[in-house]
Amino acid sequence: MLAMLQLNLDLFVVRTLERPNKKEYKLERVQALKVVMRLLEISPMKIPRSLVQSMVLIMSKKDDDLRRVCLDRIRGLAFQNPGVVASTNGIHAMVEAILDPSCGDIAGQLTMTLLYLLDQESTRRYIRPSVHIQHILSVFTDTESPETQEKEARRVASAKALMIIMRSWTGIFILASDKVGLRSLVDILSLPASFRGSSWSKDAVFMLLLQILSVVKSEDLTTHKAKGIWKSMGPNLLHSYVVMVLLAFIQSGLVPILAEIGMEQGQEMSSVATNLLREILHLSADLLPSDPWGAQLNALPSVINCAASLDSKRVVSRVLARDMLQKMSTGQYDVDDKDPFQDDFQGPHESEVTPELSGYNTLVHGLDLEAIAMQSDSAPMARVQGRKQHHMPRIVTTSRSGQRGQLMAMHRRITTSSEEVVNRLMAESGVVGNRTREYATWDWDKCLYLLEGPLANPQYLQSVMRNTRFCKRLLSFIKPSKHAFSAMAWTLSNMRVVKVACQLFRVLCLSKETSESKIFSECVREILDELVIEATRSSNPSSGSTSRSPTASVSSATDLNANYGGTRARRLRPFSRESVRERLAREYFTLVGIVTSSRHGAELVRQCKKPGSFYSDLYNLYKDESKDYLARLILSCFSYGNHNKNQRTLLDIWVKQGSVNLRKFAVSHLRVLLRDKTQDVLSHFWQWGVRLLASQLGHSNEELGLAALSVLEEVCQDDKCLEFLIKFCKPRFANIGAAANNLQMKFLSKRSGVQYLQQIDWIEQQMQLWMAEGNQKYVEAVENALVGAFDTGMHIPKVQKDSTRDPALSAYLSTGAEVKARKPEYGYGFGGIHCSIRTEYDDYYFARLHRLPWKVSISLEYANRSQYFILSEAFVHTVPHIAQTVYRRRDSKRGSERESEPMMAETPSGLETYIAAIVIAPNGTPRPQKLVDGVTIRAQLSVGSLNPPAKQKSAFLRRFEQQVCSPNDRQRLVEISCGRCFLETKHARWNFLKNIPAKKSIRKQTAIRKTSAVKGHGGKRDDLYLESVWFKIPTPNSSNPVVCLAPHFFGELAKTAEGCEILGQSGHVLNFIHTVLAPLAGRVHSVDELDEKNDAKNGSEEKTFQSEAVTAIEQRTALWSIGQIGSSETGFRLLTKQKINVIKHISKMAMKCPTLSMRGTCFYIMGLLSRTPSARRMLYDLGWRFSPNAEVGIVIPKDTTSFLSVKACEYRGSWAKHRSNTFGLDFVPIKNAPLSQTTLKADYSNCAQVILGHLSNLCNSVTIKPSLNELRRLRKDPRARPFFLSADMMFQVFRMITSYDFQLDARRCVFDELFDHVSVSQHSLKVFDKDLHATNVKEEIQNLNKSLLAARMSAEEKDPDPLISAPSKEKKTRKAESKLHRPKFCVVGFNSNSSDGDGNRSQSMEK
């Protein structure tokens, strides 16, 4: 590298790199670019400026093929050596690329680069915020230029870049500190509508504000405060971001402008401004301190004065102001909130939709899972209209929807139904009449209306049961012995039949008289008897049907009539595996759950099974693994209330002694019960539920243990459950390992937990791990969670992954400006950082997934196109997502296995919902299927008898209907344990086993499969068995993203007096304080800084400073540790006992730290400290104010102007002031003057100065044309021509090119047109060994004039004939020079092989 710089070989690389963008030069330019890229890898701090300047010029050329590569390399160099990038005008070129629509995929990364440079004071000096950032904002304020397609594209790029800037602490500080930053955007809103070009700018600014504030909604703040979420989960860090945005815009005068727009008559943006102002006021009331911001904002003096004005001339303004105040107070919006589907649906069942869920994409594998889950719900209307309104399904329009809507409207009008009306409706329903057996003619909508309306009264129901056969015939239809209800296919159209049956059972269980009726008790007894018979039946490979296909079912009521009169041989067992998977017989379990959940129904069950017990007959069901499908359905239908002790006993037995698959489902169902929020279930869940989950932690199956651990972490958010787990369960986490650290850290918040963890010697080990790297990993997880929350809450387009990002960028993540969130590397138990808060809608959808009849068809396809179908059994399974896993990867080329480096311990970081399809034998027991070489596995997911509608089978959906696992895919198997491996595709996970011992029960391969198998590579290979297929199911999240901190080891340890004692004895608190007080280790960002650092390296003071300096990530780690420790009363007292007042120092850093991202981190830390009364008293004295709700952890400085200000830095990116810029000229030719007469002497003694002067004019667009014409004239002048052939002159031109800012076209003109005949020889190359930045440039130019004039005079003496009088001789001379100076092949700057006119190669020259 040093030798190359001394020989100035970079000049030849520049010459090659700037060749014309033509095909014949493409290979040559690419090789030169590779040389530059290699130099950047070796030493970016010593990269020659000429190479960087050339790359900047290429990346500024839109049509150059190498533009994208140069743009990416310059962006990477800006992190390491921003000084050279700034001096070559690279910052401005990146800003132009951000606004270029063709660079939209990397515009986010370029914006991130600018924010990184603006973050630190050492790099901020190389960028002009008032110039470069304002250049991005200028698109918003440009209202004069004509409307073109290019301008529209630049507007979109500018809006995206501004959104990214506003997502970061650095961007907020920079824009707020600039007098024309945010203020210019706010002033755009005040432009009149008649102003040309202002419409788009207003819309863009409003959209920016709405997207920023959409991260936190005022309604969510009220709801979460009422539920006490922030007290249990901790503060939401996004609230601090919203507070910063509010302060910045309020200080810029946004509120008065919004008030003025809202009061304008006929203004299109009036309603938008009113709604935005209302949201700002609500957020300010909840987050900002009332003094002084809350009082100033809510006063709205302009609106109040206008509304209270009695001036007759301001009547219209008074009315508009009053309307505006009324809308803001009542929350009324002028926007169109009409449901787009409302015209298609009639009645409350169809019009009451769930936008919280419908806004998310749950369409997968060709099935609209949300529609299926909601339309299959059999909840009654009373429950729907009450607490869980989301139970109301969105029903697809049918021919009966209009009639259904009329019935529901009638139900709302009638308060007390007369007997005549009820009798008429029963007759119209078809249940009572002449054609009672023709079920296809029954009107199920009217039946449901009767049962949900008049018959919901127990007394009236008794009268109807005595006087009519309505209930009797419905119960007769439901009986299993009739094979009517149980034989119908499980489809969405038949769900109205299920709703009628469920509502009938509910109303019959309301009173003792109706529940003990003969017809109802017979129906219940028959269902229970059939269930017990099926449970006690021995395993039989037969399908349960003697003369019908296992897949045959009654698809509608029309088929039901034909099947009802059939023979006994055509009837099916109602609780067989096929029946409960494809027919309405599955809903018998729903009916059993309805009966057993009521007090009268439970008594009926006890009477029906006398002298035995219904539950005692089911206790031993777990022993037969083939009956797991029945056990899962039974578990999911029970309510487990206080009056159902037998159900809890049954669950306890099956969870502790059942099969692994049954336990997995039971653990997942416990999560459903926990989220159901039913007081009868949760009243003692902390006793029986916690015991069950704790018993599964020590199971040998790791997936089961992790699933139980995940539910326990959710359960232990309640302090009562946590105390019970510690004191009475004494959990052991040996089989789970480090994944349990998150839960164990919660133990530290309790005195009993600290004692328990001390007994097992866990605290000391974790303290060492956290001090080693756990603290840093925690900070990275928090920062990545913030980035991910911004990506979710704000609609920023994703960009391509950048594989060349500089490692220094990782220290910038705390600003939140990363465009694409990196995958969090969670470990040490902090994988539980909450990025969302579940709502009732999410819990309802999750519970509904457990009740659907999932079905997965698996087939094996061989090379000869033959297929073999495998039996499977599907159920819902929730798996904690493992962010980092120690695994073995199969090497497909060598056939061996290699173990990856263990990065971190396995830690759950989220939940993933799967439909697990277990491969089973014909008798129903799990049995993996052996695979042969070359076989392709296909799997398809469906629900009941549903098939994806034909209209939904688009080209996109057809790709996901059937998942495929090919032999090539199985080369990427990942081993998770001994003999167990898996493969993940886009929508499925395939689980395999290897080397299972051969048994007689294993299926034998048929002759067809043996002939179709592909032969192996030779040698022994492992046998592979397919164990299960998991389909990943999307679970929508209907709440806004949140970032609540996970338990921190030192923060949890400081919550008790015992923990503070341990922490104080360790000395780590003092280490954290010293790290916060230590200065940051500065990075070298330019050659000048490197030289200054080397010069001062021998000083003692510099040595001491370097020894005490810390990195940015170390300081942020110490800040978060102190913030977590001080967030509790005991921890804050521990901090105040130290000799150094670290709280005061952090307060100063939050106000004046030159690193803006560090200032934002300190703002977060101050919010954590403000959660205790003691800390609030101290922070108040330091000039901080607090939110009305202390739990949200919001602090705001009293002096917001100083807080949002950024100290200006001296700009050091100017090449004109650089010490290496030594090139200069005595004079520059004057524009439009007779140049040859006034500047060029007659003897050509100043010809070199004149040529260089005209070359300097090529930098100016005004003087480029006359100077270029003069240069072309001089080149044709025989007396000046030697100057254009001289290597010395070429070297001076190189000096000028590297010192001045030429456009790429001008440089190419100089190299390819003016100085294209410079000879390349061993003698001429010595000229380029001179110092490029010498100080005696003028003297060298004068000597150049003398030498060239002397050479010309000696040439004239040898040839006395004037060149101008011999045109034929001149033509001959030029032809010879062309052959001499244009070699056919020459690698310039390395081994220069010149060729003569005949093409003979000369000997290579060595330098």
Side-chain angles (χ1 to χ4, degrees):
M1 184 74 174
L2 183 60
M4 179 180 179
L5 296 178
Q6 292 176 351
L7 297 176
N8 293 324
L9 297 182
D10 56 297
L11 302 180
F12 299 97
V13 179
V14 169
R15 173 70 182 90
T16 306
L17 192 61
E18 295 180 0
R19 290 280 192 181
N21 187 29
K22 298 181 180 179
K23 186 176 181 180
E24 55 265 28
Y25 301 117
K26 184 176 182 179
L27 181 60
E28 184 179 357
R29 297 182 69 206
V30 169
Q31 295 301 323
L33 185 58
K34 289 182 178 180
V35 173
V36 178
M37 294 168 61
R38 181 56 180 165
L39 294 177
L40 288 175
E41 294 177 0
I42 295 175
S43 180
M45 296 304 303
K46 297 182 180 180
I47 188 73
R49 183 181 180 274
S50 58
L51 298 179
V52 180
Q53 186 182 33
S54 180
M55 294 177 67
V56 170
L57 293 174
I58 292 175
M59 72 183 244
S60 302
K61 198 72 174 176
K62 294 184 179 181
D63 57 346
D64 200 291
D65 296 337
L66 303 181
R67 182 196 184 194
R68 298 298 293 269
V69 181
C70 294
L71 185 60
D72 182 74
R73 296 302 168 181
I74 292 298
R75 187 188 66 83
L77 182 62
F79 295 112
Q80 301 170 321
N81 191 355
V84 68
V85 175
S87 65
T88 55
N89 208 21
I91 304 297
H92 179 74
M94 285 193 295
V95 173
E96 285 292 337
I98 291 174
L99 301 177
D100 188 2
S102 61
C103 300
D105 55 338
I106 59 175
Q109 299 174 354
L110 295 173
T111 309
M112 260 282 299
T113 305
L114 295 182
L115 291 174
Y116 174 79
L117 297 178
L118 290 169
D119 182 50
Q120 302 180 25
E121 187 178 21
S122 58
T123 55
R124 204 180 306 135
R125 64 187 65 176
Y126 298 109
I127 187 172
R128 293 189 178 101
S130 59
V131 176
H132 298 118
I133 301 299
Q134 285 300 320
H135 186 58
I136 299 177
L137 301 181
S138 64
V139 181
F140 287 85
T141 57
D142 181 15
T143 58
E144 298 297 332
S145 59
E147 299 291 334
T148 59
Q149 187 176 1
E150 182 182 359
K151 182 179 180 181
E152 185 65 25
R154 288 175 65 88
R155 284 174 170 178
V156 175
S158 176
K160 293 178 181 179
L162 182 58
M163 177 63 71
I164 296 175
I165 293 174
M166 288 300 299
R167 290 170 53 200
S168 67
W169 286 102
T170 303
I172 295 174
F173 281 118
I174 292 296
L175 291 177
S177 61
D178 193 351
K179 296 181 180 179
V180 293
L182 289 181
R183 185 68 190 183
S184 61
L185 296 178
V186 174
D187 290 342
I188 291 175
L189 300 178
S190 61
L191 293 177
S194 59
F195 202 85
R196 189 184 68 176
S198 63
S199 177
W200 177 88
S201 300
K202 288 184 178 181
D203 293 343
V205 174
F206 272 122
M207 186 60 64
L208 172 70
L209 293 171
L210 291 173
Q211 288 187 355
I212 290 176
L213 297 180
S214 64
V215 177
V216 178
K217 293 183 178 180
S218 57
E219 293 83 358
D220 293 342
L221 285 174
T222 305
T223 304
H224 298 160
K225 180 180 178 181
K227 294 181 178 180
I229 290 179
W230 310 131
K231 186 175 182 179
S232 59
M233 297 178 58
N236 181 8
L237 298 184
L238 296 182
H239 291 168
S240 300
Y241 164 77
V242 173
V243 165
M244 284 294 302
V245 174
L246 288 175
L247 290 178
F249 277 102
I250 291 172
Q251 186 173 333
S252 301
L254 177 64
V255 175
I257 292 180
L258 290 179
E260 293 178 3
I261 297 175
M263 291 188 296
E264 292 182 2
Q265 185 179 12
Q267 176 65 260
E268 296 180 358
M269 295 297 173
S270 177
S271 60
V272 179
T274 302
N275 299 335
L276 183 59
L277 181 58
R278 174 185 177 272
E279 188 70 16
I280 290 176
L281 294 180
H282 279 247
L283 289 175
S284 302
D286 291 331
L287 298 178
L288 294 181
S290 57
D291 182 23
W293 296 275
Q296 294 177 358
L297 292 177
N298 290 287
L300 292 177
S302 59
V303 182
I304 299 297
N305 293 335
C306 187
S309 176
L310 300 178
D311 190 356
S312 59
K313 299 180 181 180
R314 303 179 61 185
V315 176
V316 178
S317 301
R318 182 170 65 248
V319 173
L320 294 175
R322 290 178 179 178
D323 291 342
M324 181 180 179
L325 292 175
Q326 183 179 5
K327 292 172 185 177
M328 287 192 298
S329 61
T330 58
Q332 296 178 356
Y333 290 84
D334 288 343
V335 295
D336 187 10
D337 290 335
K338 184 180 179 181
D339 179 25
F341 301 97
Q342 189 172 359
D343 296 336
D344 299 333
F345 306 129
Q346 299 293 334
H349 277 266
E350 291 79 10
S351 62
E352 293 181 14
V353 296
T354 55
E356 291 83 356
L357 288 177
S358 302
Y360 294 84
N361 181 21
T362 56
L363 190 66
V364 66
H365 314 301
L367 298 171
D368 192 348
L369 300 184
E370 178 192 343
I372 295 173
M374 303 192 70
Q375 295 178 35
S376 61
D377 189 7
S378 58
M381 180 183 297
R383 190 181 181 189
V384 171
Q385 295 176 348
R387 181 174 58 89
K388 293 191 175 181
Q389 297 180 0
H390 47 275
H391 281 214
M392 189 59 62
R394 174 185 291 184
I395 300 179
V396 181
T397 305
T398 62
S399 59
R400 295 175 179 261
S401 61
Q403 181 183 2
R404 178 73 178 275
Q406 295 174 3
L407 289 174
M408 294 301 137
M410 184 190 302
H411 176 70
R412 290 192 296 269
R413 292 195 303 266
I414 299 177
T415 56
T416 305
S417 300
S418 62
E419 184 176 356
E420 181 181 355
V421 175
V422 174
N423 293 335
R424 178 171 57 83
L425 291 176
M426 286 191 293
E428 292 177 358
S429 66
V431 178
V432 292
N434 297 328
R435 297 180 299 175
T436 57
R437 296 294 181 90
E438 297 179 4
Y439 304 113
T441 63
W442 286 9
D443 193 333
W444 299 103
D445 294 332
K446 290 185 178 180
C447 293
L448 182 59
Y449 164 72
L450 289 170
L451 292 172
E452 290 181 345
L455 300 185
N457 187 343
Q459 297 179 357
Y460 196 85
L461 178 61
Q462 295 177 27
S463 175
V464 171
M465 293 179 66
R466 288 194 302 266
N467 300 328
T468 65
R469 296 186 177 184
F470 181 77
C471 295
K472 180 179 180 181
R473 286 175 178 173
L474 286 177
L475 291 172
S476 176
F477 166 76
I478 297 173
K479 283 184 179 181
S481 59
K482 299 297 183 179
H483 293 276
F485 176 82
S486 61
M488 296 181 70
W490 198 100
T491 59
L492 293 181
S493 60
N494 289 336
M495 286 299 103
R496 53 198 181 103
V497 181
V498 178
K499 293 183 193 307
V500 172
C502 293
Q503 184 63 17
L504 176 62
F505 272 55
R506 288 190 186 97
V507 297
L508 289 175
C509 292
L510 290 178
S511 64
K512 182 178 181 181
E513 290 77 10
T514 55
S515 63
E516 293 180 352
S517 61
K518 181 179 180 182
I519 54 175
F520 182 55
S521 59
E522 288 179 356
C523 182
V524 173
R525 182 182 294 108
E526 190 171 328
I527 294 174
L528 298 180
D529 291 341
E530 289 288 345
L531 178 57
V532 173
I533 291 173
E534 189 68 32
T536 56
R537 184 189 298 272
S538 61
S539 301
N540 190 351
S542 63
S543 63
S545 176
T546 58
S547 62
R548 296 188 56 155
S549 171
T551 59
S553 61
V554 182
S555 60
S556 64
T558 303
D559 298 334
L560 177 62
N561 293 330
N563 182 68
Y564 186 75
T567 60
R568 288 288 178 179
R570 297 170 58 87
R571 299 174 183 175
L572 309 175
R573 300 200 319 268
F575 292 101
S576 63
R577 191 184 305 273
E578 292 75 17
S579 295
V580 299
R581 187 169 54 184
E582 299 179 357
R583 304 176 184 87
L584 292 187
R586 180 187 186 89
E587 302 304 326
Y588 281 138
F589 293 95
T590 305
L591 300 179
V592 172
I594 294 174
V595 173
T596 57
S597 61
S598 64
R599 182 169 55 87
H600 300 297
E603 182 64 27
L604 176 62
V605 171
R606 286 192 290 269
Q607 293 177 2
C608 290
K609 293 302 294 179
K610 287 183 179 180
S613 174
F614 167 68
Y615 299 101
S616 61
D617 295 336
L618 302 177
Y619 285 157
N620 296 327
L621 189 61
Y622 72 92
K623 296 181 179 179
D624 189 356
E625 203 168 352
S626 64
K627 295 296 194 308
D628 279 356
Y629 77 96
L630 284 178
R632 282 191 288 268
L633 291 171
I634 294 172
L635 286 178
S636 62
C637 74
F638 288 155
S639 61
Y640 306 98
N642 292 332
H643 64 281
N644 290 319
K645 304 297 183 181
N646 293 326
Q647 295 177 1
R648 295 183 181 179
T649 304
L650 186 68
L651 177 63
D652 185 90
I653 294 175
W654 287 358
V655 169
K656 294 181 179 179
Q657 302 182 26
S659 63
V660 175
N661 293 326
L662 179 59
R663 296 187 186 194
K664 289 179 181 179
F665 179 83
V667 169
S668 182
H669 187 66
L670 285 173
R671 191 192 303 273
V672 175
L673 295 176
L674 176 66
R675 295 182 178 181
D676 188 52
K677 304 298 188 231
T678 303
Q679 295 299 326
D680 192 27
V681 178
L682 296 180
S683 58
H684 294 84
F685 188 86
W686 57 276
Q687 291 182 346
W688 63 274
V690 172
R691 286 185 184 274
L692 285 179
L693 293 170
S695 65
Q696 302 305 305
L697 294 176
H699 198 275
S700 58
N701 188 284
E702 188 176 2
E703 292 178 357
L704 177 59
L706 289 175
L709 174 66
S710 177
V711 181
L712 271 178
E713 290 179 351
E714 191 172 327
V715 171
C716 289
Q717 293 180 4
D718 186 1
D719 290 341
K720 185 185 295 184
C721 296
L722 182 61
E723 287 280 3
F724 183 84
L725 179 64
I726 298 173
K727 292 182 179 180
F728 299 99
C729 297
K730 301 292 183 182
R732 295 290 180 177
F733 306 100
N735 295 334
I736 301 177
N741 288 345
N742 195 15
L743 180 60
Q744 288 176 301
M745 274 189 292
K746 291 183 180 180
F747 291 0
L748 294 174
S749 61
K750 304 297 179 183
R751 178 178 300 179
S752 57
V754 174
Q755 297 173 356
Y756 170 69
L757 294 176
Q758 277 185 315
Q759 294 175 3
I760 61 176
D761 196 21
W762 182 84
I763 296 179
E764 185 63 29
Q765 298 177 3
Q766 284 298 309
M767 188 176 294
Q768 296 177 2
L769 289 174
W770 274 76
M771 289 303 298
E773 59 177 352
N775 281 321
Q776 181 174 341
K777 295 298 182 182
Y778 183 91
V779 174
E780 292 176 357
V782 172
E783 294 169 352
N784 288 326
L786 285 169
V787 174
F790 280 118
D791 287 339
T792 303
M794 298 183 183
H795 307 288
I796 300 300
K798 295 182 179 180
V799 298
Q800 296 178 355
K801 183 178 180 181
D802 179 25
S803 59
T804 61
R805 188 176 65 181
D806 187 79
L809 187 59
S810 60
Y812 183 55
L813 283 176
S814 61
T815 64
E818 181 75 81
V819 176
K820 185 177 180 63
R822 299 179 300 171
K823 185 177 182 180
E825 298 179 355
Y826 297 146
Y828 300 97
F830 44 84
I833 293 180
H834 303 281
C835 294
S836 63
I837 296 179
R838 297 189 330 273
T839 63
E840 290 186 353
Y841 302 96
D842 305 326
D843 295 342
Y844 162 73
Y845 180 77
F846 180 75
R848 287 303 304 161
L849 291 180
H850 285 70
R851 301 301 303 272
L852 296 179
W854 300 103
K855 183 175 63 175
V856 177
S857 59
I858 306 175
S859 62
L860 304 180
E861 183 177 318
Y862 299 91
N864 59 359
R865 299 295 183 181
S866 62
Q867 284 189 344
Y868 178 77
F869 289 90
I870 304 175
L871 298 178
S872 64
E873 184 176 304
F875 58 92
V876 177
H877 179 39
T878 54
V879 180
H881 174 67
I882 304 300
Q884 296 291 342
T885 309
V886 179
Y887 58 88
R888 297 176 182 269
R889 187 177 291 276
R890 187 183 230 179
D891 194 334
S892 58
K893 296 182 179 180
R894 302 180 181 180
S896 61
E897 294 179 349
R898 53 186 175 87
E899 185 175 356
S900 66
E901 297 182 1
M903 297 179 61
M904 297 184 66
E906 300 179 359
T907 304
S909 62
L911 282 180
E912 293 182 348
T913 304
Y914 290 92
I915 303 301
I918 309 298
V919 178
I920 60 174
N923 63 351
T925 58
R927 188 169 63 189
Q929 170 67 44
K930 185 177 181 181
L931 304 176
V932 297
D933 294 335
V935 66
T936 300
I937 313 173
R938 299 182 182 274
Q940 184 172 0
L941 177 68
S942 61
V943 180
S945 299
L946 295 178
N947 290 317
K951 63 180 180 180
Q952 291 185 357
K953 290 188 177 180
S954 60
F956 176 78
L957 291 177
R958 278 196 294 269
R959 293 183 298 173
F960 303 105
E961 287 181 4
Q962 195 175 64
Q963 301 298 300
V964 180
C965 179
S966 63
N968 294 333
D969 294 334
R970 292 196 292 274
Q971 300 298 324
R972 300 183 287 107
L973 289 179
V974 176
E975 185 171 344
I976 54 178
S977 62
C978 183
R980 298 178 63 88
C981 50
F982 73 95
L983 170 68
E984 285 190 356
T985 56
K986 187 172 184 180
H987 292 285
R989 168 173 167 169
W990 313 78
N991 298 307
F992 300 93
L993 298 176
K994 292 191 295 185
N995 296 330
I996 297 180
K999 296 181 180 179
K1000 295 182 180 180
S1001 60
I1002 299 297
R1003 303 185 184 97
K1004 298 181 180 180
Q1005 303 295 325
T1006 60
I1008 296 178
R1009 282 176 274 162
K1010 289 182 179 180
T1011 56
S1012 64
V1014 180
K1015 294 183 180 181
H1017 303 285
K1020 186 176 179 180
R1021 300 184 61 183
D1022 296 333
D1023 293 333
L1024 200 63
Y1025 296 82
L1026 177 63
E1027 181 186 22
S1028 60
V1029 180
W1030 293 1
F1031 282 84
K1032 190 173 183 179
I1033 301 299
T1035 53
N1037 180 19
S1038 59
S1039 67
N1040 284 339
V1042 299
V1043 179
C1044 295
L1045 296 175
H1048 190 280
F1049 176 79
F1050 293 102
E1052 298 296 319
L1053 189 61
K1055 289 183 178 180
T1056 60
E1058 292 79 6
C1060 287
E1061 183 179 356
I1062 298 174
L1063 193 57
Q1065 294 175 357
S1066 64
H1068 295 319
V1069 176
L1070 193 59
N1071 292 335
F1072 294 147
I1073 295 176
H1074 288 317
T1075 304
V1076 171
L1077 298 177
L1080 286 177
R1083 294 186 63 225
V1084 179
H1085 299 287
S1086 66
V1087 179
D1088 296 338
E1089 293 182 14
L1090 183 63
D1091 296 339
E1092 294 173 2
K1093 207 163 191 176
N1094 292 333
D1095 296 340
K1097 204 168 185 179
N1098 298 326
S1100 59
E1101 294 183 0
E1102 182 68 15
K1103 290 182 180 180
T1104 305
F1105 174 79
Q1106 291 293 330
S1107 62
E1108 295 179 356
V1110 296
T1111 60
I1113 184 62
E1114 292 176 349
Q1115 195 169 77
R1116 295 203 308 273
T1117 297
L1119 284 171
W1120 280 105
S1121 299
I1122 291 176
Q1124 290 282 2
I1125 293 173
S1127 61
S1128 60
E1129 282 288 351
T1130 54
F1132 185 77
R1133 287 196 296 268
L1134 178 62
L1135 293 178
T1136 55
K1137 291 180 181 179
Q1138 307 299 321
K1139 298 181 180 179
I1140 305 174
N1141 191 349
V1142 68
I1143 309 297
K1144 185 177 181 180
H1145 183 77
I1146 296 176
S1147 176
K1148 291 182 180 179
M1149 290 180 63
M1151 293 293 295
K1152 300 180 180 179
C1153 183
T1155 303
L1156 303 183
S1157 61
M1158 193 68 69
R1159 193 185 296 186
T1161 302
C1162 294
F1163 189 71
Y1164 286 135
I1165 303 307
M1166 299 298 286
L1168 288 178
L1169 296 174
S1170 67
R1171 302 189 71 198
T1172 60
S1174 302
R1176 284 196 294 272
R1177 287 192 294 268
M1178 178 181 290
L1179 295 179
Y1180 186 87
D1181 297 336
L1182 294 175
W1184 295 86
R1185 299 300 179 261
F1186 315 103
S1187 173
N1189 183 14
E1191 298 298 336
V1192 298
I1194 297 295
V1195 294
I1196 298 175
K1198 187 176 181 180
D1199 186 6
T1200 56
T1201 304
S1202 300
F1203 177 65
L1204 294 175
S1205 63
V1206 178
K1207 183 180 179 180
C1209 299
E1210 181 185 359
Y1211 183 66
R1212 293 190 180 182
S1214 176
W1215 173 249
K1217 298 181 179 180
H1218 201 275
R1219 63 182 182 181
S1220 299
N1221 186 9
T1222 58
F1223 187 85
L1225 297 174
D1226 292 334
F1227 63 92
V1228 177
I1230 304 174
K1231 177 187 175 184
N1232 296 332
L1235 303 175
S1236 59
Q1237 299 178 8
T1238 58
T1239 59
L1240 185 63
K1241 296 180 180 180
D1243 57 353
Y1244 286 77
S1245 59
N1246 65 337
C1247 186
Q1249 288 89 339
V1250 172
I1251 293 175
L1252 292 175
H1254 284 296
L1255 288 176
S1256 66
N1257 280 341
L1258 299 184
C1259 299
N1260 192 336
S1261 59
V1262 178
T1263 59
I1264 183 174
K1265 187 174 181 179
S1267 292
L1268 183 60
N1269 293 334
E1270 182 64 19
L1271 287 171
R1272 288 170 176 171
R1273 190 192 66 80
L1274 289 175
R1275 186 175 180 276
K1276 295 179 181 179
D1277 190 345
R1279 286 172 294 182
R1281 183 172 178 80
F1283 288 89
F1284 291 91
L1285 302 177
S1286 171
D1288 293 306
M1289 188 67 181
M1290 184 66 176
F1291 181 73
Q1292 299 301 329
V1293 172
F1294 268 122
R1295 277 181 171 174
M1296 176 181 290
I1297 290 293
T1298 56
S1299 299
Y1300 291 2
D1301 291 333
F1302 288 84
Q1303 295 295 325
L1304 184 59
D1305 292 336
R1307 293 165 68 103
R1308 286 174 175 172
C1309 179
V1310 172
F1311 288 138
D1312 299 332
E1313 181 180 351
L1314 300 178
F1315 292 90
D1316 58 334
H1317 288 171
V1318 177
S1319 62
V1320 179
S1321 61
Q1322 184 175 7
H1323 173 72
S1324 61
L1325 286 177
K1326 293 182 179 179
V1327 177
F1328 293 92
D1329 295 344
K1330 301 178 182 178
D1331 184 10
L1332 192 64
H1333 303 290
T1335 57
N1336 56 345
V1337 177
K1338 297 180 181 179
E1339 183 181 351
E1340 290 184 6
I1341 295 176
Q1342 294 177 0
N1343 295 334
L1344 173 63
N1345 273 319
K1346 296 178 181 179
S1347 62
L1348 290 178
L1349 289 175
R1352 184 173 63 82
M1353 293 177 60
S1354 62
E1356 291 178 353
E1357 293 176 357
K1358 294 180 181 179
D1359 189 359
D1361 297 336
L1363 293 176
I1364 57 175
S1365 63
S1368 59
K1369 186 176 181 181
E1370 179 182 0
K1371 183 176 181 182
K1372 184 176 180 181
T1373 304
R1374 290 182 180 179
K1375 185 175 181 181
E1377 290 176 354
S1378 176
K1379 288 185 177 181
L1380 177 63
H1381 302 304
R1382 288 189 178 181
K1384 293 184 178 180
F1385 178 81
C1386 179
V1387 182
V1388 180
F1390 302 97
N1391 290 329
S1392 180
N1393 298 333
S1394 61
S1395 303
D1396 55 12
D1398 299 331
N1400 297 327
R1401 179 181 299 178
S1402 62
Q1403 306 219 344
S1404 62
M1405 296 169 286
E1406 298 180 359
K1407 286 291 293 175

